[in-house]
Amino acid sequence: MMNAIVAQDSMVAGAEETAAPILRVRGLKRHFDVSPPWLNRVLERRPRQFLRAVDGIDFEIRKGETFGLVGESGCGKSTAARLAVGLYAPSSGSIEFEGVDIGPLSRKQMAPLRSRMQMIFQDPYASFNPRWRVSKIIAEPIRVFGLLKTAAEVDARVAELLTQVGLMPADGDKYPHEFSGGQRQRISIARALASNPDFIVCDEPTSALDVSVQAQILNLMRDLQRQYRLTFLFISHDLAVVFHISDRVGVMYLGAMVEQAPAAELLRNPRHPYTRMLLDAIPDLDMSGRARTPVSGEVPSPISPPSGCTFHPRCPHANARCSVQRPATIVTDGGGQVACHAVEEGRI
Amino acid sequence: MNNNKTDGGTDSGALLDVKDLRIEFPTRRGILTAIDGVSLRLNSGEILGVVGESGAGKSLTGTAITGLLERPGRIAGGEIHFNGQRIDNLPAEAMRKLRGKQIGSIFQDPLTSLNPLYSVGRQLIETIRTHTDLTPRQARARAIEMLTQVGIPAPEQRIDQYPHQFSGGMRQRVVIALALCVNPKLVIADEPTTALDVSVQAQIIELLKQLCREHGSAVMLVTHDMGVIAETCDRVAVMYAGRLVEVGPVQEVVKQARHPYTRGLMGSIPKLGDEVEHLVQIDGAMPRLSHIPKGCAFNPRCPYATARCREEKPEFAQAGQGEVACWLWDGVNPATDPDTLFAEVSQAQRAKKQMNAVRPAPKTSVQNCGQEV
Ligand SMILES: Nc1ncnc2c1ncn2[C@@H]1O[C@H](COP(=O)(O)OP(=O)(O)OP(=O)(O)O)[C@@H](O)[C@H]1O
Ligand SMILES: Nc1ncnc2c1ncn2[C@@H]1O[C@H](COP(=O)(O)OP(=O)(O)O)[C@@H](O)[C@H]1O
Ligand code: SF4
Ligand code: SF4
Ligand SMILES: [Mg+2]
Ligand SMILES: [Mg+2]
């Protein structure tokens, strides 16, 4: 029953190289209102406050590719991911899915697109109804989007999905608590695949798993991606995982995309001081005894971010310009983009 | 039974000496053996890494050492010696004293170790004052210093706040400060950095190393992160299904693992800069305590398993500079290079398979690690 996707595939196959991006994000912002209650604002003369979770990011993902997002906790990765699939409305900016700006779409107009975008989370258990059998959980998107008519068709499709993710059709009769963490993540992948999506956002999908189970899931995701030409937006705080799975990686800091480049290029030749700092902090398996640059400081509050380049209080290359002027994003020779005065000025 | 040990000698002045530890949980359907004959030694100033999948028994081993094993779990065999003294049978009060001053612990779940009703500073200062003769003012200064060391920004202001006002990562750092503030001789750190960003993780690891360097403390570091192990530990112990399967110097275990499980585990970790299509995959899952296979507990998942592995539990034997519990190493010169051994075993297997012409092997399982890793 995967033929819907297969058919689509053969139509676009061949145009692969020149393919337009499946997702294009421009100047995307999402600000949360975290103001104190009205009374306090009046009595204590406290102003309205906004938290700039995502503060103007641009990126594109081409069909069949994986775009990885990295950055410290709270930098806005999950918010960006939720925006990308329309779970949050942007405060400003645009999100184009296959050339269509999804921002102004009504719920009804959005519905057909919804079935083509899915999400996989860190804790699949939390998103399952514990009283539903696995088969019902997996069939939910099929029902919601009215993809198949008869019960027999749905059953066959669920059995097929279970097999695809390495479980057995008989597992559909069980309840989620009867499965291990890795198996539950397989179930959530099966559910995500149920609506024949093209684009799947994976927010820390393996962070709760053991490394050996993580390897099973990452291998599975890669196989499914190759088979169905899936496009992934992949988030993990484990940089080695992100670099393993991604074709292109974006580095976020305080709601901004400070650098992005093809994965191998970013690893080989990181340009932004924050990217360098992150990569430097990773303990390596080589035991080369390489001296690590200690990472200094903390991520400042996104409610009152520093002026200019928001990284300047922690940046070893900061100068006077950095603390007043926000750096523009420039294109680098390695096919990447970076927002840093020092890089632009050729200082680093 | 007395076959899992990490070092030949007896009471040779190790700071921590766990001998043949066995932990059981009585249940309605019988007794579950969660830890089955684990022996470990830890010297002053040494960092021992403990790795293995969840449920392998890493945390239980740590809780038994700190005397915090909860009913119905019980130590059903073996002994734990600390600083020359047997501690597994100490009265609760004596153990509590030891725990505060000499043995520090950092648990997986930071919330359980902090009292939500007291400010962070009060908890730190009380701990410091109970175990040292610092004045209140000095203790506060020491508390602020500890908070700085674990990377809490603006510690002078933060010290008077309550745990709920800290983010998860910051609370974990407070727990670490609490465990380290009296310079304990032994630290049991159970996944102290798992939930933290790499940037913070690097600071915490540096702090643990510093404690060992400057105070000769020993650390038992439980973690899933092989990078952390490689950068921090002197030796590594690998656990599987409640048993120790391999112990050795960090370079050997990470780079030249001798146990098939360790090899699979190492291969399954994505490495920066390694562009591989698939990671090495150990198929299947760790058995439940109620269904631990006979013989070698790893045999159903092991590509090298033989009839003997399904019957007899492997003895711990010297291999390289460490030890391994695997029949492959039985009667093999301990100096044999593991890559060579695994290549030979795989080749012999292939030859045998061709003769028998049976089912093909799965495409990416531990089989491949003879050539990789
Ligand atoms: N609904 C919300 N209301 C107010 N603030 C929010 C909301 N959702 C997220 N935030 C804030 O937005 C910022 C970015 O959050 P986000 O969840 O995107 O971070 P993240 O990069 O995914 O972090 P982590 O790695 O910890 O998952 C954080 O400061 C967070 O506290
Ligand atoms: N209170 C308990 N009752 C029964 N089994 C337990 C209990 N605590 C732990 N176990 C079991 O003991 C084994 C080892 O647990 P643990 O030490 O927490 O593993 P790890 O820390 O390596 O993930 C697991 O199979 C776990 O389910
Ligand atoms: S713009 Fe300035 S402060 Fe920002 S990263 Fe570049 S050098 Fe550092
Ligand atoms: S003893 Fe046998 S089953 Fe166990 S790890 Fe060694 S070869 Fe594999
Ligand atoms: Mg998140
Ligand atoms: Mg544990």
Side-chain angles (χ1 to χ4, degrees), chain B residues 26-306:
Chain B
T27 68
R28 270 181 292 129
R29 271 176 272 164
I31 290 174
L32 298 180
T33 307
I35 299 293
D36 190 1
V38 165
S39 299
L40 291 167
R41 297 162 64 83
L42 198 44
N43 294 316
S44 293
E46 189 182 34
I47 306 186
L48 173 74
V50 180
V51 301
E53 280 164 275
S54 64
K58 308 175 300 290
S59 300
L60 275 181
T61 306
T63 30
I65 294 168
T66 45
L68 291 173
L69 188 62
E70 279 178 25
R71 299 250 131 222
R74 60 157 196 256
I75 297 185
E79 294 179 7
I80 302 171
H81 293 250
F82 173 72
N83 223 356
Q85 181 190 13
R86 182 161 175 194
I87 59 167
D88 56 283
N89 53 5
L90 275 188
E93 186 47 38
M95 196 61 211
R96 185 155 40 239
K97 283 223 178 80
L98 199 63
R99 217 164 29 232
K101 180 151 175 60
Q102 311 236 32
I103 305 181
S105 40
I106 304 166
F107 294 111
Q108 241 171 313
D109 179 9
L111 281 184
T112 55
S113 338
L114 290 176
N115 186 331
L117 301 179
Y118 295 151
S119 74
V120 162
R122 176 164 172 191
Q123 298 184 52
L124 275 167
I125 291 167
E126 271 179 12
T127 309
I128 295 169
R129 295 210 57 218
T130 318
H131 300 292
T132 64
D133 26 305
L134 296 183
T135 64
R137 183 182 290 257
Q138 287 169 325
R140 189 178 165 87
R142 170 88 184 125
I144 292 175
E145 184 197 329
M146 276 318 291
L147 290 176
T148 314
Q149 287 198 8
V150 294
I152 303 280
E156 291 86 354
Q157 284 117 57
R158 288 298 200 144
I159 188 165
D160 295 313
Q161 292 186 345
Y162 290 81
H164 71 90
Q165 290 168 294
F166 283 57
S167 77
M170 278 160 77
R171 279 198 291 257
Q172 180 67 326
R173 283 180 263 169
V174 171
V175 172
I176 293 166
L178 211 50
L180 305 187
C181 64
V182 293
N183 298 326
K185 283 210 177 75
L186 172 68
V187 178
I188 310 286
D190 195 350
E191 309 204 18
T193 60
T194 303
L196 304 177
D197 283 317
V198 281
S199 48
V200 182
Q201 175 183 305
Q203 292 169 325
I204 304 293
I205 294 302
E206 189 43 48
L207 194 67
L208 285 174
K209 279 169 132 172
Q210 188 188 333
L211 187 77
C212 295
R213 242 185 353 250
E214 293 175 6
H215 299 278
S217 306
V219 179
M220 181 172 139
L221 179 63
V222 177
T223 173
H224 284 294
D225 190 328
M226 282 299 156
V228 169
I229 294 268
E231 276 215 350
T232 321
C233 299
D234 302 298
R235 286 187 306 135
V236 187
V238 185
M239 292 188 71
Y240 185 79
R243 303 169 190 189
L244 217 52
V245 298
E246 178 163 9
V247 187
V250 65
Q251 300 84 350
E252 288 199 353
V253 177
V254 173
K255 292 259 156 113
Q256 298 192 281
R258 289 179 161 79
H259 195 282
Y261 174 65
T262 317
R263 291 179 85 82
L265 197 64
M266 296 300 158
S268 68
I269 302 167
K271 289 160 203 75
L272 273 181
D274 255 19
E275 288 176 41
V276 291
E277 174 79 6
H278 284 101
L279 298 162
V280 173
Q281 184 169 322
I282 313 175
D283 291 317
M286 207 172 60
R288 292 183 192 182
L289 289 185
S290 50
H291 291 85
I292 295 193
K294 198 167 165 219
C296 172
F298 188 55
N299 85 68
R301 302 173 76 186
C302 180
Y304 308 106
T306 61

Side-chain angles (χ1 to χ4, degrees), chain A residues 102-116:
Chain A
I102 64 171
L105 295 188
S106 67
R107 265 185 100 85
K108 206 165 158 205
Q109 290 170 309
M110 185 71 192
L113 289 183
R114 267 272 153 71
S115 70
R116 301 181 48 204

Side-chain angles (χ1 to χ4, degrees), chain A residues 17-291:
Chain A
E17 287 316 308
T18 51
I22 185 165
L23 188 83
R24 176 184 276 145
V25 165
R26 289 276 166 268
L28 188 63
K29 292 188 183 180
R30 170 74 202 204
H31 295 177
F32 291 107
D33 189 344
V34 290
S35 310
W38 176 80
L39 198 62
N40 298 57
R41 290 210 306 273
V42 175
L43 295 180
E44 298 160 22
R45 293 167 185 270
R46 305 236 305 261
R48 270 191 167 278
Q49 282 189 322
F50 290 93
L51 186 152
R52 305 188 205 160
V54 170
D55 201 21
I57 61 173
D58 300 272
F59 64 95
E60 300 179 351
I61 316 181
R62 285 196 299 183
K63 187 163 173 59
E65 287 196 348
T66 302
F67 190 91
L69 272 184
V70 299
E72 283 163 287
S73 181
C75 68
K77 307 179 293 293
S78 299
T79 307
R82 293 172 150 266
L83 285 162
V85 289
L87 287 178
Y88 280 155
S91 304
S92 66
S94 68
I95 304 155
E96 283 175 25
F97 185 76
E98 291 186 335
V100 179
D101 187 352
I102 64 171
L105 295 188
S106 67
R107 265 185 100 85
K108 206 165 158 205
Q109 290 170 309
M110 185 71 192
L113 289 183
R114 267 272 153 71
S115 70
R116 301 181 48 204
M117 309 176 186
Q118 289 291 339
M119 225 170 146
I120 302 172
F121 300 95
Q122 171 169 356
D123 179 10
Y125 200 60
S127 62
F128 293 160
N129 183 335
R131 284 188 297 271
W132 284 10
R133 289 184 200 276
V134 164
S135 52
K136 187 168 176 187
I137 292 173
I138 294 176
E140 195 187 8
I142 303 177
R143 235 184 359 261
V144 169
F145 299 115
L147 300 177
L148 295 171
K149 300 277 172 309
T150 69
E153 278 177 324
V154 174
D155 289 347
R157 176 79 174 118
V158 167
E160 182 189 38
L161 286 163
L162 280 165
T163 314
Q164 269 163 2
V165 299
L167 296 171
M168 285 178 307
D171 287 328
D173 293 333
K174 297 187 190 159
Y175 290 94
H177 73 259
E178 296 175 64
F179 293 88
S180 69
Q183 290 170 327
R184 281 180 206 151
Q185 201 54 285
R186 288 176 191 267
I187 296 169
S188 80
I189 293 172
R191 180 176 61 176
L193 291 174
S195 64
N196 295 338
D198 296 284
F199 176 51
I200 303 183
V201 166
C202 319
D203 193 353
E204 306 261 6
T206 62
S207 302
L209 306 176
D210 276 320
V211 284
S212 57
V213 182
Q214 167 172 283
Q216 295 173 352
I217 298 293
L218 291 176
N219 287 348
L220 171 69
M221 289 179 61
R222 174 146 279 172
D223 288 341
L224 292 169
Q225 174 170 48
R226 299 279 184 261
Q227 202 173 349
Y228 301 115
R229 257 184 105 216
L230 300 172
T231 307
F232 291 142
L233 175 60
F234 191 100
I235 299 173
S236 172
H237 70 276
D238 185 331
L239 291 131
V241 168
V242 171
F243 280 97
H244 166 73
I245 198 90
S246 304
D247 299 293
R248 197 176 171 85
V249 174
V251 183
M252 287 187 70
Y253 187 75
L254 277 180
M257 185 83 80
V258 296
E259 180 167 13
Q260 57 170 297
E265 172 65 19
L266 192 65
L267 206 52
R268 210 169 24 239
N269 191 14
R271 308 294 299 273
H272 197 281
Y274 179 63
T275 313
R276 295 179 181 196
M277 182 161 143
L278 268 187
L279 290 176
D280 229 19
I282 301 172
D284 68 326
L285 272 165
D286 290 338
M287 290 170 283
S288 50
R290 136 188 93 104

